[in-house]
């Protein structure tokens, strides 16, 4: 059995789990480079029985899956992957498995981005180190400001807790949020327009789906205060990227702190890379030591279970129920 571990950007996957515990005859190859071209990716993976992708770093649409005749098991880190075509995998008899996660990396990064952009931490660091200057900016404080949360699930509720600790006013909205749930999380339920018009920090914490794609558009961004910042550590397509770029270029809002984007890695020359009112990180919300160890250990467990004929954490159980498997499990 040949296994491909993709998206090992930091070249650490080999040290994050006990790969030697896999049965003999399983050959694992780690790839740290990112291939965006489907032809190149199909050529690379054509002989692999099992492929692991790190979250949404490498998409697996139907067009690619159909070009991988040997592929029998596709593994994503985490419990879901919006860039894997699960229906296509099921149609083709490919078992898709997920892994556990660990830690609160996205919550922690949210506050790192908020504090970083409001207190101008990256600019002050560069000015001090590289320019010999000392104290260029007057930062914005959090106490008494309004934290507006688009989504109040697990991560959103923890972000709210920290906002309350900073003595902020916390408001929230999402399509299914109730006043009771908001109150339990130390927030006040408001309507969507109020969320964007009153927030000093507007932070996105909903999952990407058909009903949340483009949820933050030109209308919502147009309601924001000139001093407000938008934070997105969830998924890029939840925010209309063109509308956000336009607002940033016109300085219609105070700035944006972003960990996720429509296309990743960001293409060379993308406006987000040059705008001085953005703070950018390369989708690292979940990239922590604890998180990686949980992910990769889960991948090893998945490979071992699949090789034994009893796959675990199967995301598309229909493929097993139908018996429409590509090759033996």
């Amino acid at each position: 059995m040949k296994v491909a571990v993709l998206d090992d950007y930091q070249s650490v996957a080999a040290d994050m789990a006990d790969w030697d515990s896999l049965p003999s005859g399983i050959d694992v190859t780690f790839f740290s480079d990112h291939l965006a071209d489907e032809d190149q990716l199909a050529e690379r993976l054509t002989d692999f029985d099992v492929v692991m992708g790190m979250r949404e770093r490498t998409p697996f649409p139907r067009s690619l899956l159909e070009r991988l005749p040997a592929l029998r098991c596709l593994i994503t880190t985490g419990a879901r992957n919006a860039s894997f075509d699960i229906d296509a995998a099921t149609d083709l008899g490919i078992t898709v498995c997920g892994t556990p996660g660990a830690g609160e990396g996205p919550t922690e990064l949210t506050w790192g981005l908020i504090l970083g952009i409001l207190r101008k931490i990256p600019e002050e660091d560069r000015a001090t180190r590289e320019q010999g200057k000392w104290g260029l900016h007057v930062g914005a404080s959090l106490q008494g400001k309004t934290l507006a949360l688009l989504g109040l699930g697990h991560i959103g509720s923890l972000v709210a807790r920290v906002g309350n600790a900073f003595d902020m006013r916390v408001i929230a909205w999402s399509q299914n949020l109730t006043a009771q749930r908001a109150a339990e999380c130390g927030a006040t339920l408001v309507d969507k327009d109020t969320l964007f018009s009153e927030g000093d920090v507007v932070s996105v914490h909903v999952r990407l789906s058909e009903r949340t794609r483009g949820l933050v558009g030109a209308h919502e961004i147009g309601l924001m205060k000139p001093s407000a910042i938008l934070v997105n550590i969830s998924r890029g397509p939840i925010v209309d990227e063109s509308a956000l770029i336009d607002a940033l270029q016109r300085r219609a809002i105070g700035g944006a702190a972003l960990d996720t984007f429509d296309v990743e890695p960001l293409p060379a020359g993308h406006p987000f890379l040059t705008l001085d009112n953005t703070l950018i990180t390369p989708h690292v919300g979940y990239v922590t030591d604890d998180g990686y160890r949980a992910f990769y250990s889960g991948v090893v467990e998945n490979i071992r279970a699949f090789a034994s004929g009893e796959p675990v954490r199967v995301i598309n159980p229909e493929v097993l129920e139908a018996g429409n498997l590509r090759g033996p499990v």
Side-chain angles (χ1 to χ4, degrees):
M1 181 182 291
K2 295 184 65 177
V3 176
V5 175
L6 304 183
D7 311 316
D8 183 18
Y9 288 178
Q10 297 88 8
S11 298
V12 296
D15 299 321
M16 289 287 178
D18 185 8
W19 301 94
D20 291 336
S21 68
L22 291 172
S24 61
I26 296 180
D27 180 34
V28 181
T29 304
F30 301 94
F31 295 98
S32 59
D33 61 326
H34 175 76
L35 293 183
D37 183 81
E38 187 173 298
D39 291 338
Q40 293 179 341
L41 193 58
E43 181 179 0
R44 168 175 285 183
L45 300 178
T46 188
D47 295 328
F48 285 94
D49 304 278
V50 179
V51 174
M52 183 227 99
M54 174 62 74
R55 302 301 291 258
E56 286 89 10
R57 288 178 180 174
T58 298
F60 278 82
R62 181 181 293 271
S63 57
L64 175 59
L65 293 172
E66 289 176 342
R67 300 173 66 180
L68 302 176
L71 182 61
R72 296 186 285 132
C73 181
L74 182 62
I75 302 173
T76 178
T77 52
R80 63 187 64 85
N81 192 319
S83 70
F84 282 12
D85 190 330
I86 304 299
D87 290 338
T90 302
D91 292 343
L92 296 167
I94 300 168
T95 305
V96 184
C97 301
T99 73
E104 295 298 343
T107 305
E108 296 159 357
L109 183 68
T110 296
W111 282 104
L113 289 171
I114 292 170
L115 294 170
I117 194 168
L118 287 179
R119 299 302 303 271
K120 309 292 185 183
I121 293 173
E123 295 94 327
E124 292 289 0
D125 179 78
R126 286 193 298 269
T128 303
R129 293 173 182 270
E130 301 171 10
Q131 302 168 21
K133 297 179 179 180
W134 193 259
L136 298 183
H137 304 91
V138 177
S141 61
L142 292 172
Q143 187 178 28
K145 300 291 175 52
T146 296
L147 172 64
L149 299 175
L150 183 65
L152 204 56
H154 176 70
I155 295 173
S157 66
L158 293 177
V159 173
R161 186 186 302 175
V162 178
N164 280 300
F166 279 125
D167 200 19
M168 299 182 75
R169 172 191 178 223
V170 182
I171 59 177
W173 176 87
S174 69
Q175 287 139 326
N176 296 324
L177 184 62
T178 65
Q180 180 180 348
R181 166 65 182 174
E184 290 171 352
C185 297
T188 300
L189 175 65
V190 297
D191 61 53
K192 189 181 181 187
D193 282 5
T194 300
L195 186 87
F196 283 89
S197 63
E198 296 190 2
D200 295 295
V201 176
V202 181
S203 193
V204 179
H205 300 287
V206 292
R207 293 176 182 171
L208 177 62
S209 67
E210 286 309 309
R211 68 175 187 164
T212 62
R213 187 178 296 272
L215 188 63
V216 182
H219 170 75
E220 289 76 19
I221 295 170
L223 294 172
M224 292 175 64
K225 301 176 183 179
S227 59
I229 64 166
L230 179 69
V231 182
N232 185 11
I233 59 97
S234 294
R235 291 296 182 273
I238 295 168
V239 178
D240 183 328
E241 194 168 276
S242 296
L244 178 57
I245 290 169
D246 175 67
L248 291 168
Q249 289 173 333
R250 292 186 293 107
R251 298 192 177 275
I253 63 174
L258 308 168
D259 186 50
T260 56
F261 311 92
D262 284 0
V263 177
E264 299 177 3
L266 275 173
H270 194 286
F272 284 150
L273 298 174
T274 55
L275 285 164
D276 64 2
N277 50 356
T278 60
L279 178 56
I280 300 299
T281 50
H283 205 154
V284 295
Y286 61 90
V287 181
T288 66
D289 181 82
D290 289 344
Y292 264 26
R293 290 191 184 281
F295 283 160
Y296 286 117
S297 294
V299 171
V300 170
E301 293 170 0
N302 286 348
I303 297 169
R304 187 185 302 114
F306 184 79
S308 73
E310 298 180 355
V312 295
R313 293 187 286 266
V314 177
I315 294 174
N316 60 340
E318 303 86 357
V319 76
L320 302 178
E321 295 165 2
N324 179 35
L325 298 174
R326 180 185 282 181
V329 177

